[in-house]
Amino acid sequence: MITLAALANVAWGVWFLPLVAVLLSFLAESRRAAVAIVLAGTVAALVAAAVVADVALVHPLHVFQTGITYWSYPVIQSPFNAHGQAFLASTSLAVVGVRVDPLGAILALTVTAAAALALARLWLASGGAGDASALARLVGLATTTLLGIVLAPNLLQMLLGWGVLGLCGYLVTARGGPGRAGTAAGRAFLRWQVGTVALWLAAIFLYAKFSGAIQAHAVSAKHPHAPVPDGLNFTALAQRWQVVLHHGVPGADGRTLVVAAVLLLVAVAAAAGLVPGQGQAADASEAPQGMASFTVSLWFGVAGVVLVARTYLLFELAIHLLPALALLAGVSALVGALQALGGASLPRVVAWLAASQVATALAGLGLGAFTGGIALLLTTVLAATAALLGAADLGQRQGSLRLARLAGCWSDAAGRRQGAMAGLGLGLVGLAGVAGVGGFFPRVAVLAAAFNGQLPAGPHVGVLTRALTAGLLLLAAAVGAAAATRVVRILVVGDPGPVSRSGRAARLVVVPAGVADVAVVAGVATLLAGLAALPGVGASLGRVVVDARGVPGLPLDLRALLLVLVAPLVGVALAARVRPDRLLELGRGARAERLRALGGLTDLWDAAEARLLGPAARLVLATDRRLLGPALGWVAQGTEALARLGDDAARRRSTAAVRTGALVVGAALLVWWLGVAHAPVAGR
Amino acid sequence: MVPTLLAAASAPPPDVTLSMIIFAPLVGAAVIWALPARTDLERFRVRVTALAFTLIPALIATYEFLSNVAVPTQGALPQPLVNATWVGGFLVTLGYHIGTDGVNSLPLTATAVAFPVVVLASWRQRVRSRFYFSLLLLIEVGVVGDFAARDFGLFLVFYLWPAVPASLLLGVFGGEGAHRAARRLLAVWLLGGACLFVGGLLLAVRTGRHTFSLTALTTPLTLPHGVGEAVFLLLLAAALARMALVPLHTWFVDALGTASPPVAMAILLSSVPVGGYTLIRVAENAAPLAAIHLATPVLALALLSVLWGALGAYGEPDLRRLAAYAAVSLSGDVALGAVGFSETSLAGSLYLCVAIALGGGLLLLVAGALVDRQRVLRLSSLQGCASRAPRLFALWVVGIATAAGLPMLAGFPGLYQVFLGTFPGDPLGVAAALLGLLVLAAALWRAAGRTFLGAPAEGLERVRDAQGSEWYAAVALVATLVVFGVAAGRFLGYSVNGTDLISGRVAAVAPQPATHHPSHGRTHG
């Protein structure tokens, strides 16, 4: 039996092993060795995460927290720390640590597993060429950061990780090549930065409103034995939110909770690619082949979902926020599926499907299906990893990732690369949620929540919202399945066009052995995770997560089961009826272009840039150049003129100007001395 | 007689460490003037001498700083302290009064550590090297002395000290338009000094203490209505002149845009941190009630600078001027923290000053390296140079990550403390500042995308990656940024103990809140 102290050390190890590996990789003699070191560190973290998960799942109701105080200092009671006495925190405390509970443990396991798969592919495929070592280090750093986020015991640590993760994502994506990848990385980073700013504001707002001495006093009065950790600790905040809502605390009320939840929702939407921040996954898919499996599956989805999960009580307590989250996520799921249906390149299709699934997971959280949402996230991570690893193998082999160039390549590739195709196929099936595989059962749980209107606690979501969300999710499931079917049909029976099969075969690139096996491993993991996530089964992941919150699991709803079974089949059937050449056309029409052009937040930003930022920046520069700069120039010339005057006067000893000046200055000094200097000084 | 002698003999000798930190570069400048610089070997000796005489104060300051921060409560007490009469029997008494505490220790140490990096970055300086390095060392004397001074007269002397060396360095070694920029720099700094002098004189005379001791001048008292405001406005003008807040920022952008990278770094080191420190230590401390009365206009200037700088960076095609505008924007955040008046926001402002000096220095170093080699100024001409200069790209990323407040770098603790400490009093101001930060981050990343990423532009052959002294200087800057970012918790306690005194002083004269309305959480004083 592992002790708590040992568990703490192992949890710290999970967090920092990838970082240690990154640092050690600089000592490596070759690029391939550097990749191997980062891979080894990540695998070690994976093993440690498995140990932590084992303990956490055995004791699902135990939440273990440990931390190191980053800074701590007393805060004086001045009016400038706050208006009035309401917000005065007696100590400013920042803690960095780990929080081990089933949610954190399972997510840590998922993160390390997906990162290890991406690194394994990099190690096998790179052969030490190119910038593989730099990519591996970036992935290692991003993994550390993401682990810091999923194991974060407080919002400050999440904020710390948020910024670094965005930077890592930007740098990994930007390495996808000149032009398009750079633009995509910039767009994704901009969205991320909007979320980061919202998170900054949320953290500061929460700290100011809920971490003061009065709030702490009110909480300790209601919960005398409750721990008093740092002000942004999730446990402490949850206690304070409840006290604020049920007992009232000066300076904070229900509206305060709503404002805080809205700020967090903006951060979630920007990170997880909810409307209007859609496109995050698609931009992340521009990362180099193989690395997209990391950026798409982990970079954006996990951070967004874990932020909602950790602050779930706030969303429950803030009126209308969970329904808003559910609706927003439902719309995003449909938009993601539609974009996937018109996708022209394989990674982008997979990325949009993954985005749709992550949005469905968030809709699950919004509807109260906490179990289903988290389980869907896990299966999505694995399925997207499998699909993108398979796609990377195929793309590297065929020299292109565009569907038009890959049409009919299934038989070519399958003859030599069954593994890659198996990984791609299993990943697509997992993302489409076909019966029993991937996200099927979690989706049933989400839809069951929509039908039953059950929330673990707090207000219920209205019937209309639930009905709308359920409709959007079912539509998204059908369209998503159609998109996956479209890809498979294009690859299997698509017309290769002017390029003959033999010509293309001659062009095939030899991919190192073993690369495809990584995709197979990910695909099998998707399959297993899909089966294990069955809600209602005692040993399932989701049940443990629900138990940890002391809430019963969701019942298996037969209506939901039937609809989730049928909706993808409808999509598959519709896609199967369309001719392969027409399927390719789906991504080329004017409507598809218009859909693709819907940039959401980036559109808003572009519009703001064109109409506001650009002109304002030009105005600023013109003002500086034509007004403020010359004005300062005149001041400088005046100073020089004065200096010259003094210089001339000194040379000529006595001039009329000097005499006049001296008289004026002397008179002014006299007046000042008599009038001002001899006035009484108050308080002397 | 004998007991007096014994007592004198047993008294501890005056602590000279701080004096060594201040004046070692002055000795270095004198030594450099005495050295010949005709051959390469002689010029090499000049450089080594300059490096040695900047390393000495850096090492001593670091040792002192690390000793002090181990006991955070000492932040409220100046250590070490030297207090001797310098000029007496005149209108006011001037003292050689120096010491470090929680307020000045951090910027002093950071500047002392940064100057060896500036020297290292100047390693390729072959032309008029004696002149160049001695001026650089003279600037360091002024900047470090300014932070250490605890006497107003001494502070004024050190405030004005770097004006001539900096303008000479800029004018003589700068690029096109440097002469004009140097004249403007000199004018603004001298005018700032004049405001400081008049404000200090007014304060000394009106308090009736006839001393320039900052401790005596800042003992709690209330100046008559109007006089306090006049004092604060004059001291504020002196601070703003150095902080490069809008509308007094064009000299700064011109100077940094035309100076060679090391000189630009030196100017940056001697402008924003000194200005921020002047605002917090001198202006707010001297006239706290006036600072409260005039907080709204200062806040407006701060936010204007945040947005102005960010927009300037957004539209600026010249990399070096872009970095300067970014510093202007962050300088607005420093002023925002200064009028937050809480110990948290004040400590954050000082921390941010350090981050601006170091992070901005890194950006200027990279921009200068690119522009000097490529002989172009516009971003589009450098497109795609990341492939030819991956190290410069990495350094640029670290620089803009610092400016954007990314964690683990020096910018984050500063910005976080500023926002946290200011939010309760000015939530909308913080929201506007965060918006400015978003625009600034977008501008910097956009510039990174245009410059380093994308399809390589024609004629990038001249672009070479950072190498040799330039690379070592940049790595040293990055290491310093990381240390100040990661170990912030170790320094902040000490810093806050110092800013507590200023915050407490302002709080003591502030109107107390009268009522509190629980429904919306604001009080009406």
Side-chain angles (χ1 to χ4, degrees):
Chain A
M1 177 62 193
I2 190 167
T3 62
L4 281 181
L7 182 67
N9 290 333
V10 177
W12 282 106
V14 173
W15 187 9
F16 282 111
L17 274 170
L19 183 65
V20 172
V22 168
L23 296 176
L24 286 177
S25 73
F26 285 99
L27 303 175
E29 289 183 353
S30 68
R31 287 174 177 166
R32 191 173 162 81
V35 179
I37 290 172
V38 180
L39 173 62
T42 310
V43 170
L46 173 65
V47 173
V51 172
V52 172
D54 180 51
V55 177
L57 296 181
V58 171
H59 303 96
L61 298 180
H62 181 80
V63 177
F64 175 73
Q65 295 191 60
T66 179
I68 297 169
T69 301
Y70 191 45
W71 70 64
S72 168
Y73 57 81
V75 177
I76 61 167
Q77 308 287 302
S78 81
F80 304 108
N81 286 309
H83 283 268
Q85 301 292 313
F87 312 130
L88 298 183
S90 54
T91 306
S92 177
L93 192 63
V95 175
V96 176
V98 289
R99 175 192 167 108
V100 179
D101 61 359
L103 176 66
I106 291 169
L107 285 176
L109 192 63
T110 313
V111 167
T112 45
L117 286 168
L119 285 168
R121 196 219 179 253
L122 187 66
W123 182 63
L124 289 166
S126 68
D131 54 357
S133 55
L135 275 173
R137 287 177 191 128
L138 279 173
V139 169
L141 186 60
T143 307
T144 305
T145 313
L146 202 49
L147 287 168
I149 288 174
V150 300
L151 295 172
N154 58 47
L155 198 59
L156 176 66
Q157 186 172 320
M158 215 171 248
L159 179 63
L160 286 169
W162 213 266
V164 181
L165 189 60
L167 176 62
C168 292
Y170 171 82
L171 292 174
V172 172
T173 308
R175 285 179 178 271
R180 194 175 152 125
T183 310
R187 274 200 310 260
F189 186 77
L190 184 61
R191 279 190 217 99
W192 193 272
Q193 202 61 24
V194 170
T196 307
V197 166
L199 197 58
W200 267 91
L201 208 49
I204 290 164
F205 183 76
L206 285 170
Y207 190 87
K209 292 289 182 184
F210 296 103
S211 302
I214 300 275
Q215 285 89 349
H217 181 71
V219 173
S220 59
K222 302 294 172 194
H223 305 279
H225 303 297
V228 188
D230 61 297
L232 287 172
N233 182 280
F234 292 123
T235 309
L237 283 174
Q239 289 168 353
R240 289 169 194 200
W241 293 331
Q242 282 174 319
V243 171
V244 164
L245 194 69
H246 299 307
H247 304 289
V249 170
D253 55 12
R255 279 183 300 177
T256 316
L257 296 175
V258 172
V259 172
V262 167
L263 287 171
L264 288 175
L265 186 58
V266 172
V268 171
L274 295 188
V275 172
Q278 76 270 20
Q280 196 74 332
D283 286 332
S285 73
E286 295 291 340
Q289 292 182 18
M291 284 303 100
S293 66
F294 177 81
T295 54
V296 171
S297 64
L298 287 179
W299 173 31
F300 75 106
V302 171
V305 174
V306 85
L307 179 57
V308 176
R310 289 298 187 205
T311 55
Y312 197 61
L313 188 66
L314 178 66
F315 283 91
E316 284 181 10
L317 297 179
I319 300 168
H320 303 314
L321 255 291
L322 274 185
L325 173 65
L327 267 179
L328 196 65
V331 172
S332 307
L334 182 59
V335 168
L338 285 170
Q339 293 274 19
L341 189 63
S345 87
L346 196 46
R348 287 182 86 82
V349 171
V350 176
W352 278 113
L353 282 174
S356 176
Q357 295 288 77
V358 168
T360 309
L362 282 166
L365 296 184
L367 291 167
F370 196 89
T371 316
I374 299 297
L376 187 55
L377 174 72
L378 303 185
T379 53
T380 301
V381 167
L382 291 170
T385 305
L388 285 165
L389 286 175
D393 193 17
L394 195 63
Q396 190 176 354
R397 191 176 145 67
Q398 302 284 349
S400 174
L401 283 165
R402 297 195 66 77
L403 285 174
R405 299 283 300 273
L406 293 171
C409 75
W410 185 277
S411 55
D412 287 351
R416 300 169 181 83
R417 285 283 171 264
Q418 295 94 333
M421 303 311 294
L424 176 62
L426 279 173
L428 284 173
V429 168
L431 286 171
V434 177
V437 184
F440 177 77
F441 288 114
R443 268 202 231 179
V444 174
V446 170
L447 212 60
F451 290 150
N452 296 315
Q454 289 184 357
L455 277 177
H460 286 254
V461 177
V463 177
L464 186 63
T465 307
R466 284 191 279 123
L468 267 174
T469 310
L472 287 167
L473 293 182
L474 282 171
L475 207 53
V479 177
T485 310
R486 168 178 173 256
V487 170
V488 172
R489 287 204 72 208
I490 288 172
L491 295 184
V492 176
V493 294
D495 181 9
V499 184
S500 68
R501 284 182 192 279
S502 56
R504 195 161 56 188
R507 209 166 37 120
L508 291 181
V509 176
V510 176
V511 178
V515 171
D517 299 338
V518 183
V520 176
V521 170
V524 172
T526 309
L527 195 67
L528 293 175
L531 291 172
L534 177 64
V537 177
S540 73
L541 301 177
R543 179 62 185 266
V544 170
V545 174
V546 171
D547 276 350
R549 303 189 67 245
V551 186
L554 289 167
L556 197 60
D557 189 293
L558 283 177
R559 290 170 298 171
L561 185 70
L562 198 63
L563 282 170
V564 172
L565 191 66
V566 170
L569 289 179
V570 172
V572 171
L574 286 174
R577 289 173 62 85
V578 181
R579 287 205 318 270
D581 55 327
R582 297 291 304 276
L583 283 172
L584 267 176
E585 293 296 323
L586 272 178
R588 293 178 187 163
R591 284 181 192 166
E593 283 300 326
R594 276 203 296 276
L595 188 65
R596 262 203 293 274
L598 281 178
L601 203 58
T602 47
D603 276 356
L604 282 176
W605 184 268
D606 290 343
E609 189 178 32
R611 293 177 190 171
L612 189 67
L613 283 179
R618 283 194 290 277
L619 182 69
V620 161
L621 293 177
T623 310
D624 278 358
R625 206 167 33 246
R626 293 178 190 163
L627 186 65
L628 296 177
L632 200 63
W634 298 329
V635 172
Q637 284 168 7
T639 315
E640 284 175 13
L642 273 177
R644 272 201 298 273
L645 189 67
D647 196 32
D648 294 346
R651 255 187 272 129
R652 282 183 275 157
R653 300 289 173 134
S654 171
T655 64
V658 171
R659 276 201 298 273
T660 313
L663 273 175
V664 170
V665 171
L669 276 173
L670 189 65
V671 168
W672 172 70
W673 184 257
L674 290 174
V676 184
H678 288 162
V681 176
R684 189 182 289 180
Chain B
M1 183 67 186
V2 172
T4 313
L5 283 175
L6 281 175
S10 61
D15 199 328
V16 296
T17 48
L18 196 51
S19 300
M20 281 175 67
I21 293 172
I22 298 169
F23 293 112
L26 186 64
V27 175
V31 171
I32 285 173
W33 268 115
L35 290 174
R38 284 181 294 274
T39 63
D40 275 352
L41 182 62
E42 288 169 350
R43 283 192 285 270
F44 175 73
R45 284 181 190 143
V46 166
R47 293 196 295 272
V48 170
T49 308
L51 185 62
F53 278 95
T54 48
L55 273 175
I56 290 168
L59 293 173
I60 299 174
T62 307
Y63 176 76
E64 286 284 331
F65 182 61
L66 292 177
S67 309
N68 288 337
V69 295
V71 188
T73 49
Q74 282 192 352
L77 303 166
Q79 302 210 358
L81 188 69
V82 177
N83 192 0
T85 302
W86 178 23
V87 180
F90 191 54
L91 179 64
V92 290
T93 304
L94 300 181
Y96 180 69
H97 189 183
I98 53 172
T100 55
D101 58 10
V103 180
N104 60 4
S105 209
L106 181 74
L108 186 147
T109 309
T111 7
V113 168
F115 266 94
V117 178
V118 176
V119 172
L120 208 54
S122 313
W123 211 250
R124 290 177 187 160
Q125 183 66 39
R126 298 285 192 274
V127 183
R128 303 174 77 177
S129 57
R130 284 193 311 175
F131 182 62
Y132 178 91
F133 284 108
S134 54
L135 288 180
L136 215 52
L137 293 180
L138 286 179
I139 293 178
E140 183 179 2
V141 175
V143 179
V144 174
D146 223 3
F147 291 128
R150 299 183 67 82
D151 182 274
F152 199 92
L154 199 61
F155 183 84
L156 178 66
V157 168
F158 284 126
Y159 181 96
L160 287 170
W161 184 295
V164 174
S167 57
L168 278 175
L169 271 179
L170 176 59
V172 175
F173 297 97
E176 191 183 338
H179 283 289
R180 194 183 61 176
R183 280 204 305 275
R184 289 181 179 183
L185 180 146
L186 187 64
V188 171
W189 286 19
L190 289 180
L191 284 176
C195 289
L196 196 66
F197 174 69
V198 176
L201 199 61
L202 188 59
L203 187 68
V205 174
R206 294 299 292 116
T207 54
R209 300 193 175 171
H210 298 281
T211 173
F212 262 0
S213 163
L214 275 175
T215 314
L217 290 179
T218 54
T219 309
L221 86 163
T222 312
L223 293 166
H225 184 66
V227 177
E229 277 74 3
V231 169
F232 181 73
L233 280 175
L234 286 165
L235 300 181
L236 177 70
L240 297 191
R242 290 294 270 269
M243 284 177 79
L245 285 197
V246 176
L248 296 174
H249 66 290
T250 47
W251 70 267
F252 181 74
V253 177
D254 286 345
L256 266 54
T258 52
S260 65
V263 174
M265 287 165 71
I267 291 171
L268 183 60
L269 280 168
S270 52
S271 52
V272 176
V274 172
Y277 180 74
T278 307
L279 178 58
I280 291 168
R281 184 57 170 258
V282 182
E284 289 185 355
N285 218 11
L289 191 58
I292 296 169
H293 290 159
L294 295 170
T296 307
V298 179
L299 177 70
L301 269 185
L303 294 178
L304 180 66
S305 300
V306 168
L307 293 170
W308 195 275
L311 287 169
Y314 206 88
E316 183 59 58
D318 178 345
L319 267 186
R320 291 189 293 194
R321 293 175 69 88
L322 186 149
Y325 273 114
V328 169
S329 180
L330 291 171
S331 195
D333 288 319
V334 172
L336 176 73
V339 291
F341 295 125
S342 70
E343 73 280 69
T344 307
S345 68
L346 295 177
S349 285
L350 291 168
Y351 217 93
L352 191 56
C353 284
V354 170
I356 293 170
L358 299 175
L362 187 62
L363 289 177
L364 288 167
L365 194 64
V366 176
L370 279 173
V371 170
D372 287 352
R373 280 175 214 153
Q374 187 66 3
R375 307 267 184 255
V376 292
L377 293 173
R378 302 190 77 81
L379 299 179
S380 53
S381 312
L382 297 165
Q383 188 180 320
C385 66
S387 54
R388 292 195 63 85
R391 282 177 173 178
L392 285 176
F393 176 52
L395 294 172
W396 182 261
V397 166
V398 173
I400 59 179
T402 305
L406 258 67
M408 304 302 146
L409 294 166
F412 179 80
L415 285 168
Y416 184 72
Q417 299 282 320
V418 165
F419 295 149
L420 199 66
T422 312
F423 186 84
D426 294 299
L428 290 179
V430 171
L434 276 166
L435 184 69
L437 192 65
L438 175 66
V439 176
L440 178 63
L444 292 170
W445 288 108
R446 186 165 164 261
R450 286 184 177 186
T451 312
F452 290 97
L453 305 175
E458 287 181 10
L460 284 176
E461 296 77 24
R462 276 200 300 262
V463 172
R464 278 187 292 108
D465 208 355
Q467 284 172 345
S469 57
E470 187 179 68
W471 171 240
Y472 298 133
V475 167
L477 269 182
V478 171
T480 317
L481 283 170
V482 171
V483 167
F484 279 113
V486 173
R490 199 169 159 76
F491 308 145
L492 269 175
Y494 181 71
S495 193
V496 164
N497 269 289
T499 53
D500 256 352
L501 298 178
I502 298 172
S503 178
R505 179 167 158 71
V506 180
V509 298
Q512 292 301 311
T515 57
H516 175 259
H517 199 287
S519 64
H520 52 75
R522 289 193 62 104
T523 53
H524 309 282

